[in-house]
Amino acid sequence: MVVNNVIQMAEQRELFRQAIIASLRNWDILKVAVDQEWAGENSAAIRDWMPDAVLQLFDKGDKVYPDMLDDYLCDIMAQEFNAELEDKVAYFPARQILQFHEDIATGNIERLMAYIQTSTQVEPVVHTFEPEPKEIQVDEITADMSGSRLDNNNNNN
């Protein structure tokens, strides 16, 4: 019986961890920070580490409040991504994570499972547009100050 409880707790913890991952991956400011590499080439690794850092807050056993989690997420963004965020920018993911924690505690995991499933089904695709370099022939056309074009061959003044 004790073994079953331990297994169930481990499964719930992993389910909660997956919900945190999904919530943070859907957080717009974190997406931008990773896409634009605000922390350099380690940006994605920091994003992937953040759920475990958040999970540790809950592992301590103290009550976690929305403002506390909001501040914690903003502190991580400041320390790791050098991003000073406005107050309450992380309130939505903080509140969402706390709701997931409550869902786990009450055994109401249907919404949690649905969120995880829909969040992981479609992985965001980042398109990088790199225009092909065009070769410009400076000898062919020269622009004068008025914007009109003069052919170099006729410009023998």
Side-chain angles (χ1 to χ4, degrees), residues 73-122:
L73 291 172
C74 287
D75 287 346
I76 290 174
M77 292 298 292
Q79 291 172 7
E80 302 297 332
F81 290 99
N82 200 27
E84 294 299 323
L85 304 179
E86 294 179 15
D87 288 343
K88 306 293 183 198
V89 168
Y91 193 79
F92 180 76
R95 188 71 197 113
Q96 188 176 43
I97 290 167
L98 287 167
Q99 182 60 55
F100 293 151
H101 187 260
E102 180 67 24
D103 289 344
I104 292 278
T106 60
N108 183 19
I109 61 170
E110 291 80 21
R111 176 179 41 187
L112 183 69
M113 294 290 290
Y115 180 77
I116 292 169
Q117 187 176 22
T118 58
S119 294
T120 56
Q121 279 180 351
V122 179

Side-chain angles (χ1 to χ4, degrees), residues 6-20 51-52 54-59 104:
V6 170
I7 292 171
Q8 185 179 7
M9 287 175 59
E11 289 172 351
Q12 289 175 341
R13 186 177 190 279
E14 182 56 27
L15 184 61
F16 183 47
R17 183 177 175 278
Q18 291 300 317
I20 295 170
D52 292 321
V54 170
L55 196 55
Q56 287 178 1
L57 283 177
F58 292 91
D59 287 347
I104 292 278

Side-chain angles (χ1 to χ4, degrees):
M1 185 161 157
V2 172
V3 172
N4 288 341
N5 286 343
V6 170
I7 292 171
Q8 185 179 7
M9 287 175 59
E11 289 172 351
Q12 289 175 341
R13 186 177 190 279
E14 182 56 27
L15 184 61
F16 183 47
R17 183 177 175 278
Q18 291 300 317
I20 295 170
I21 290 169
S23 182
L24 292 178
R25 284 192 175 237
N26 287 317
W27 185 24
D28 289 337
I29 194 72
L30 183 57
K31 284 186 202 178
V32 171
V34 172
D35 290 345
Q36 294 183 3
E37 295 187 333
W38 291 358
E41 60 187 34
N42 294 325
S43 295
I46 293 168
R47 179 209 49 218
D48 295 344
W49 160 82
M50 285 177 69
D52 292 321
V54 170
L55 196 55
Q56 287 178 1
L57 283 177
F58 292 91
D59 287 347
K60 291 179 182 178
D62 297 334
K63 179 130 175 92
V64 178
Y65 296 95
D67 289 338
M68 175 194 291
L69 188 50
D70 172 65
D71 290 343
Y72 186 66
L73 291 172
C74 287
D75 287 346
I76 290 174
M77 292 298 292
Q79 291 172 7
E80 302 297 332
F81 290 99
N82 200 27
E84 294 299 323
L85 304 179
E86 294 179 15
D87 288 343
K88 306 293 183 198
V89 168
Y91 193 79
F92 180 76
R95 188 71 197 113
Q96 188 176 43
I97 290 167
L98 287 167
Q99 182 60 55
F100 293 151
H101 187 260
E102 180 67 24
D103 289 344
I104 292 278
T106 60
N108 183 19
I109 61 170
E110 291 80 21
R111 176 179 41 187
L112 183 69
M113 294 290 290
Y115 180 77
I116 292 169
Q117 187 176 22
T118 58
S119 294
T120 56
Q121 279 180 351
V122 179
E123 210 36 54
V125 177
V126 179
H127 296 283
T128 342
F129 175 71
E130 293 185 31
E132 291 185 26
K134 295 182 181 178
E135 211 173 289
I136 300 172
Q137 297 294 329
V138 179
D139 294 325
E140 291 178 12
I141 300 175
T142 306
D144 67 1
M145 296 302 276
S146 67
S148 64
R149 295 187 281 173
L150 301 173
D151 187 89
N152 273 343
N153 296 332
N154 294 333
N155 193 13
N156 294 329
N157 298 18

